[in-house]
């Protein structure tokens, strides 16, 4: 969908900053704000390529608020942004390199988990993050040695 149409349908004014941020997120799943800023700065001469750091965060907040962008915050990692929204997917994070993979929800609709006692809350979603080590990092890790072995 065209970014201008998406912005209008979400009730936001169409601005150059919002359009360029949405464009920078195309093909950049799980990008940090710094990565988005780098993608914008790398735009060809003549293209809109200046968004202040605060402006970028303001745009990301607006886009997240209206559901055009999803914000994830893996523990110990920078906040990440993605265009994949509304499908209740989850994430798998490599502890070694930080790579993030999308995982489809097994149930399909939010929330994925049943909370036996909602404590008076209306539960809307459950965010699940699996942590581990990707195959590339596992392959690159030295094999553990047994104590007492001499090198």
């Amino acid at each position: 969908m065209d970014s201008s149409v998406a912005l209008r349908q979400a009730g936001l004014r169409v601005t150059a900053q919002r359009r360029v941020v949405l464009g920078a997120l195309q093909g950049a799943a799980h990008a940090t704000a710094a990565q988005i800023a780098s993608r914008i700065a790398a735009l060809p001469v003549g293209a809109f390529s200046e968004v202040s750091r605060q402006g970028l965060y303001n745009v990301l907040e607006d886009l997240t608020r209206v559901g055009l962008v999803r914000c994830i915050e893996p523990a110990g990692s920078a906040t990440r942004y993605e265009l994949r929204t509304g499908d209740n997917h989850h994430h798998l994070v490599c502890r070694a390199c930080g790579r993030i993979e999308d995982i489809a929800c097994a149930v399909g609709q939010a929330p994925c988990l049943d909370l036996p006692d909602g404590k008076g809350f209306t539960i809307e979603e459950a965010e699940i993050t699996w942590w581990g080590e990707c195959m590339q990092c596992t392959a690159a890790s030295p094999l553990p040695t047994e104590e007492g072995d001499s090198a």
Side-chain angles (χ1 to χ4, degrees), residues 15-56:
T15 65
Q17 291 88 351
R18 288 175 178 157
R19 291 185 71 221
V20 78
V21 169
L22 283 172
L25 279 165
Q26 292 290 328
H30 314 117
T32 65
Q35 290 167 332
I36 296 166
S38 292
R39 289 175 68 99
I40 293 170
L43 289 173
V45 175
F48 180 86
S49 60
E50 295 213 14
V51 177
S52 70
R53 178 73 68 183
Q54 186 58 53
L56 175 60

Side-chain angles (χ1 to χ4, degrees), residues 101-125:
E101 292 290 330
D102 290 334
I103 304 295
C105 174
V107 176
Q109 75 276 353
C112 289
L113 303 173
D114 290 325
L115 189 60
D117 178 3
K119 305 285 184 192
F121 284 72
T122 300
I123 307 302
E124 298 167 350
E125 70 179 303

Side-chain angles (χ1 to χ4, degrees), residues 33-132:
Q35 290 167 332
I36 296 166
S38 292
R39 289 175 68 99
I40 293 170
L43 289 173
V45 175
F48 180 86
S49 60
E50 295 213 14
V51 177
S52 70
R53 178 73 68 183
Q54 186 58 53
L56 175 60
Y57 282 107
N58 291 345
V59 168
L60 288 169
E61 182 179 327
D62 290 343
L63 297 175
T64 300
R65 179 176 40 82
V66 298
L68 291 176
V69 169
R70 182 175 178 186
C71 169
I72 63 169
E73 301 177 74
S77 176
T79 300
R80 307 297 181 111
Y81 300 91
E82 63 181 339
L83 291 175
R84 186 174 171 186
T85 62
D87 67 349
N88 199 45
H89 72 278
H90 306 295
H91 297 96
L92 175 60
V93 181
C94 177
R95 290 186 189 275
C97 70
R99 186 173 120 207
I100 301 174
E101 292 290 330
D102 290 334
I103 304 295
C105 174
V107 176
Q109 75 276 353
C112 289
L113 303 173
D114 290 325
L115 189 60
D117 178 3
K119 305 285 184 192
F121 284 72
T122 300
I123 307 302
E124 298 167 350
E125 70 179 303
E127 187 173 295
I128 300 169
T129 303
W130 286 274
W131 294 88

Side-chain angles (χ1 to χ4, degrees), residues 93-97 99 131-144:
V93 181
C94 177
R95 290 186 189 275
C97 70
R99 186 173 120 207
W131 294 88
E133 198 169 89
C134 68
M135 292 187 328
Q136 291 85 355
C137 291
T138 300
S141 295
L143 296 174

